Amino acid sequence: MYLGIDIGTSSLKAVLSDDNGKIIATESASYNLLLPRDNWSEQNPDDWYVAEITTIKKLGNKYNLKEIKGVSFCGQMHGLVLLDQNDNVIRPALLWNDNRTVNECDYLNRKIGKNKLIEWTGNIAITGFTAPKLLWIKKHEQNNFKKIVKIMLPKDYVAYKMSHVFATDVSDASGTLYFDVKNKVWSSHMLKILGVKESQLPKIYESYQVVGTVNEEFAKLTGMSTSTKVIIGGGDQAVGAIGTGTVGENMLSISLGTSGVVFASSNRFKKVPSGVMHSFCHANGKYHIMGVMLSAAGSFDWWTNDIIRTRHFDDVMKEVTKTKDNSLYFLPYLTGERSPINDPHAFGAFVGLTLRHKRGEMSKAVIDGINFGLLDNLISINNLKIVPKEARVIGGGAKSSIWLQMLANTLGIKLHTINTSEGGALGAIILAMVGCGKFKNVELACQKIIKNKNTYVPNIKKHKELKARYIKFKSIYLALKSI
């Protein structure tokens, strides 16, 4: 068997597969999100560890865990985990969605300069990344900064507790802003700016590489074997893309979750001169370009749950299909926006609203606005000479055939759903299988395990109409930006 562990923001999921990658059992455990102040988001790393132990023990009630050949990880990215000389957690981890570092990002992007950051790391500073968090700790919590012996990302901490190996992988390290993505090494320039030594950072591996085995303490707690191999795994977006089979040149995946992600796989490093997209290492040993919307399905959840207060999703979608109105626009920037506008001050808005607009028209505008945000990212990817003709779509929004057809019409490419919904956990299992030698490489494993299910073909006439509306959508954002 193989074990995939997915460390999310609200819960940890442990997924067990048989020798062919078929999912046979899943367990999950939730934990608290700490919100000490507005725009701050933290978590206790030991809560992840407790959840890891809890879920694995539950799997052990059904299966003999000593038969697990390998285990790997899919982790929430960018989180800052700090350990002292005794391996104790110094303070709660600052998470990917913590936005306290606006001043630090401004310093990096303006004082150091975006061009230098792109040259050194492949990316510019945003509040989610790890480097600005280290600068914030250095400035505001000097005593804690002085105690730092090990600097980790969330999945690296969970892997460390299991193996006692201080390791990370290239895909997760790409989101720190102190990693040279092109050359796959820590950036000496950035470490100097941060006041961090390379000895405080983990050894770097490819996502499918074995870093060690399960340690005796962890084995006793869970019933696992000390011969089980630990494969380091990667960041949630890269490993999630493995779980969709997005591993070849010009392949594309789209996540319609709370946040929206447009993920393009590439065999070579792509420099993004403007820094509007993330240029990261992929979990298959190559590279990828990624655009992230902060509120994709999250905008629709806000609209249906908090505003019109209905949980009858199908009824809302039926209303959407009945309306032909195209005069109403919605900007989905409810929590600012990352790609491609990188504007933390962007805000949501309905524009063009009149008395004749009813719930159906407004619901349609929300979906159109989310789709336009995804198109915005796809166009930025196309500008890098990556022009996919199709994409695989996952996430909660992908459960709606109506939404998927609307999205296909907006993007102008074929969309596919796939034969699995496990995403990141399955991606971790595939990495474990490759690490254990079950498959020669990630690409072969994906071809064997992941298949297309349903296909949505774009209506070319509607695509042209929607492309014209997208241009107006962009002009509305620019007009409102000055407010």
Side-chain angles (χ1 to χ4, degrees):
M1 298 184 294
Y2 298 91
L3 179 62
I5 296 178
D6 187 353
I7 305 101
T9 311
S10 58
S11 65
L12 180 145
K13 182 162 62 173
V15 178
L16 200 61
S17 83
D18 64 16
D19 194 45
N20 296 311
K22 180 182 178 182
I23 305 302
I24 56 176
T26 301
E27 293 290 348
S28 64
S30 60
Y31 30 70
N32 293 327
L33 186 65
L34 308 176
L35 304 170
R37 290 176 58 178
D38 288 345
N39 293 320
W40 290 24
S41 181
E42 301 179 351
Q43 225 151 34
N44 182 351
D46 285 323
D47 287 348
W48 308 328
Y49 177 55
V50 170
E52 181 184 31
I53 295 292
T54 300
T55 52
I56 293 174
K57 279 185 174 180
K58 287 182 179 179
L59 291 174
N61 293 332
K62 307 171 189 175
Y63 296 92
N64 179 7
L65 302 186
K66 295 189 185 300
E67 294 180 5
I68 296 174
K69 294 180 180 179
V71 55
S72 191
F73 307 88
C74 169
Q76 50 167 297
M77 296 180 69
H78 315 308
L80 179 61
V81 182
L82 304 173
L83 303 188
D84 64 17
Q85 61 182 355
N86 298 315
D87 278 352
N88 294 319
V89 175
I90 294 172
R91 68 165 336 278
L94 277 65
L95 300 190
W96 63 275
N97 56 351
D98 186 291
N99 291 314
R100 75 184 72 182
T101 59
V102 172
N103 292 336
E104 287 73 21
C105 289
D106 189 63
Y107 165 76
L108 290 169
N109 286 328
R110 293 177 183 271
K111 186 75 174 180
I112 303 302
K114 291 183 179 180
N115 289 337
K116 285 185 178 179
L117 295 178
I118 292 172
E119 179 186 343
W120 296 340
T121 73
N123 298 279
I124 64 173
I126 63 170
T127 56
F129 284 176
T130 321
K133 295 178 172 68
L134 271 168
L135 284 179
W136 189 92
I137 295 291
K138 185 178 180 182
K139 179 179 179 179
H140 297 279
E141 298 181 0
Q142 294 179 15
N143 289 336
N144 284 336
F145 191 82
K146 292 175 183 176
K147 296 177 185 176
I148 299 173
V149 173
K150 292 184 177 74
I151 300 169
M152 297 180 174
L153 296 162
K155 73 103 176 46
D156 301 334
Y157 180 73
V158 174
Y160 183 68
K161 296 291 282 187
M162 178 183 283
S163 67
H164 287 163
V165 177
F166 188 31
T168 193
D169 84 295
V170 294
S171 72
D172 217 359
S174 295
T176 62
L177 201 69
Y178 45 83
F179 182 72
D180 178 347
V181 172
K182 181 180 181 180
N183 298 302
K184 298 186 177 182
V185 296
W186 298 120
S187 168
S188 59
H189 297 286
M190 287 302 297
L191 297 190
K192 187 175 180 180
I193 290 169
L194 298 173
V196 168
K197 299 175 182 178
E198 190 166 332
S199 60
Q200 294 172 285
L201 300 175
K203 184 178 177 181
I204 303 162
Y205 292 84
E206 293 290 350
S207 309
Y208 50 78
Q209 287 186 304
V210 177
V211 299
T213 57
V214 173
N215 63 55
E216 288 187 9
E217 177 187 359
F218 197 90
K220 288 179 181 178
L221 284 170
T222 60
M224 294 180 70
S225 168
T226 54
S227 64
T228 296
K229 294 177 180 178
V230 176
I231 293 86
I232 190 59
D236 53 7
Q237 297 304 331
V239 180
I242 299 296
T244 65
T246 308
V247 291
E249 183 74 0
N250 276 347
M251 291 189 72
L252 189 75
S253 66
I254 297 170
S255 175
L256 261 181
T258 300
S259 59
V261 178
V262 183
F263 184 109
S265 180
S266 174
N267 291 337
R268 292 167 295 279
F269 171 77
K270 297 278 188 179
K271 184 178 181 180
V272 185
S274 58
V276 297
M277 309 294 282
H278 304 324
S279 186
F280 287 174
C281 295
H282 199 349
N284 67 339
K286 297 176 183 176
Y287 296 90
H288 72 85
I289 297 293
M290 180 173 69
V292 180
M293 286 180 65
L294 293 181
S295 294
S299 290
F300 193 74
D301 289 343
W302 162 81
W303 172 245
T304 55
N305 296 337
D306 298 338
I307 306 305
I308 62 176
R309 298 191 177 185
T310 178
R311 299 193 180 278
H312 299 291
F313 180 82
D314 291 341
D315 291 343
V316 175
M317 297 309 293
K318 286 177 183 177
E319 290 177 353
V320 168
T321 59
K322 290 178 181 178
T323 179
K324 304 299 181 184
D325 184 272
N326 290 320
S327 63
L328 187 59
Y329 290 83
F330 174 75
L331 301 187
Y333 309 136
L334 299 181
T335 53
E337 188 57 293
R338 273 179 42 173
S339 310
I341 61 175
N342 191 30
D343 184 357
H345 304 294
F347 53 84
F350 281 103
V351 176
L353 192 62
T354 68
L355 283 173
R356 64 184 174 81
H357 290 119
K358 301 297 187 288
R359 192 174 82 166
E361 287 83 5
M362 296 181 77
S363 297
K364 179 177 180 294
V366 171
I367 293 176
D368 282 342
I370 296 165
N371 292 347
F372 289 147
L374 294 170
L375 176 61
D376 210 10
N377 281 283
L378 179 58
I379 289 172
S380 295
I381 288 172
N382 293 160
N383 290 339
L384 296 170
K385 297 182 180 180
I386 301 175
V387 188
K389 301 299 182 184
E390 57 187 2
R392 285 171 165 171
V393 188
I394 59 171
K399 296 176 182 177
S400 169
S401 59
I402 295 171
W403 192 340
L404 287 177
Q405 187 59 58
M406 292 174 69
L407 181 59
N409 293 342
T410 304
L411 301 181
I413 60 176
K414 285 183 182 180
L415 300 181
H416 308 282
T417 56
I418 55 177
N419 61 334
T420 175
S421 61
E422 289 300 338
L426 177 60
I429 285 170
I430 289 172
L431 292 174
M433 297 174 88
V434 174
C436 291
K438 173 70 176 179
F439 292 99
K440 184 178 180 180
N441 56 48
V442 172
E443 287 77 7
L444 289 174
C446 290
Q447 290 172 19
K448 180 72 174 178
I449 295 170
I450 302 162
K451 307 293 182 184
N452 289 339
K453 187 177 179 182
N454 298 315
T455 298
Y456 299 84
V457 180
N459 180 307
I460 301 304
K461 180 182 177 181
K462 288 185 178 180
H463 172 63
K464 290 179 180 179
E465 294 171 353
L466 287 161
K467 194 78 175 287
R469 292 191 66 218
Y470 159 78
I471 294 171
K472 190 168 183 179
F473 166 87
K474 288 289 287 182
S475 69
I476 291 170
Y477 160 69
L478 293 172
L480 294 181
K481 188 176 180 179
S482 61
I483 294 177

